[in-house]
Amino acid sequence: MNQDILMLDGIVKRFGRLVALDHLDFSVRAGEILGIAGPNGAGKSTALAVCTGQLPPNEGRIRFEGQVLNGRPPHEFCHAGIARTFQIPQVFSSMTVRENVEVGRDFGAPSGRRASSGNLEEVLALTGLQDSGGQGAASVDLITRKRIMLAAALATEPKILFMDEPLAGLNEAEIKAFADLIARVNAERDIAIVLVEHKVRTLARLSSRILILNFGQAVRLDVPEVIMSDPEIIELYLGKSHAA
Ligand SMILES: Nc1ncnc2c1ncn2[C@@H]1O[C@H](COP(=O)(O)OP(=O)(O)OP(=O)(O)O)[C@@H](O)[C@H]1O
Ligand SMILES: [Mg+2]
């Protein structure tokens, strides 16, 4: 499927005098996993925040399935079918795992597209939470908090899911497990995923294309095989410390 569902066109985002996104253009295709990589401060998280409605751009246009979304509040981005997860997963610790996922769903579900409770069960099973729904969320470990945050995003029935460094803080076995889960979500629910990740080998394994950002600009966009075999890209933008 090569059809673009989300298009960024000439996006500029400034923080005072700092230009975090500098006429950024890119598109996300239906059903793909688009990887985004680049040095610290390149604008990756800012790009995600613009795509999901948390930060309004100073210039440029965000189009999703033909609709211009500029100026809409974040919950309307979510209602349109755009969801996200954060680098540091937050849970409501006074609630159970299932209640946390329900809260996520209720934020995202528009009245006309309210997710069914069948969907909630499916999402809990897909994310490996089927047996821990009744558990209190206060004491769960990091990967379980990540599963909860992913489940809450999926419960809104998104068409596109943005994930900011989903593998950060996980050990090697957990990285493998969570990367496999991301691949399964993409394949089984037919959701386009935009993945920002410093762990570039895993990113290359998951992604159909990789976009390299630097100083708020798109400097390269290509298939992982090409990106990962280009010594200049590795040297200039990906660094040696970002293995895994
Ligand atoms: N709320 C903000 N106010 C001011 N400056 C900001 C804000 N958010 C980000 N910036 C700046 O914008 C630039 C892009 O930041 P961003 O967080 O998008 O980078 P990043 O690519 O996600 O980096 P990292 O890999 O470290 O997560 C940086 O120079 C950062 O300091
Ligand atoms: Mg970031």
Side-chain angles (χ1 to χ4, degrees):
M1 253 194 300
N2 278 355
Q3 179 197 355
D4 291 338
I5 54 167
L6 182 115
M7 276 175 264
L8 290 203
D9 190 4
I11 295 291
V12 174
K13 180 64 195 175
R14 297 186 203 94
F15 296 109
R17 293 172 60 188
L18 179 101
V19 183
L21 299 178
D22 186 4
H23 298 91
L24 179 63
D25 301 317
F26 71 86
S27 300
V28 184
R29 295 173 181 166
E32 79 167 332
I33 298 186
L34 175 69
I36 301 184
N40 292 115
K44 303 179 298 294
S45 295
T46 304
L48 253 59
V50 165
C51 288
T52 53
Q54 276 94 34
L55 282 178
N58 297 99
E59 294 175 32
R61 211 161 52 149
I62 309 153
R63 266 183 305 159
F64 181 64
E65 295 188 314
Q67 275 183 294
V68 176
L69 294 183
N70 295 59
R72 308 251 193 112
H75 68 268
E76 287 189 21
F77 279 64
C78 191
H79 291 178
I82 299 173
R84 72 163 297 166
T85 63
F86 293 88
Q87 186 175 344
I88 300 172
Q90 308 287 352
V91 296
F92 297 103
S93 46
S94 61
M95 295 181 184
T96 64
V97 168
R98 175 190 301 274
E99 286 164 349
N100 268 275
V101 177
E102 281 170 349
V103 168
R105 176 194 62 186
D106 293 345
F107 171 79
S111 42
R113 214 162 63 80
R114 178 161 291 279
S116 64
S117 48
N119 176 52
L120 195 80
E121 296 313 315
E122 264 175 45
V123 161
L124 289 171
L126 176 61
T127 52
L129 295 171
Q130 66 276 22
D131 298 326
S132 44
Q135 195 183 330
S139 58
V140 301
D141 62 2
L142 178 64
I143 190 165
T144 306
R145 287 209 301 282
K146 288 178 188 262
R147 290 181 194 279
I148 293 170
M149 183 172 54
L150 174 58
L154 292 177
T156 70
E157 299 188 356
K159 297 172 188 158
I160 183 166
L161 172 65
F162 289 83
M163 305 185 83
D164 199 355
E165 298 197 41
L167 308 175
L170 299 179
N171 67 33
E172 220 165 294
E174 291 171 332
I175 287 173
K176 168 98 177 55
F178 210 71
D180 289 350
L181 174 54
I182 292 168
R184 213 158 52 236
V185 165
N186 170 251
E188 286 183 19
R189 313 252 317 173
D190 197 25
I191 297 171
I193 297 180
V194 179
L195 202 57
V196 168
E197 189 48 67
H198 280 298
K199 298 195 166 61
V200 288
R201 282 213 300 272
T202 305
L203 188 69
R205 178 164 76 79
L206 290 173
S207 304
S208 39
R209 301 185 297 159
I210 294 181
L211 173 71
I212 305 284
L213 287 191
N214 195 37
F215 293 115
Q217 297 179 329
V219 292
R220 288 294 290 271
L221 172 66
D222 218 318
V223 294
E225 299 72 42
V226 171
I227 296 285
M228 296 302 285
S229 61
D230 186 329
E232 192 177 298
I233 293 180
I234 304 288
E235 175 73 26
L236 289 180
Y237 308 121
L238 302 179
K240 297 181 184 69
S241 57
H242 295 139

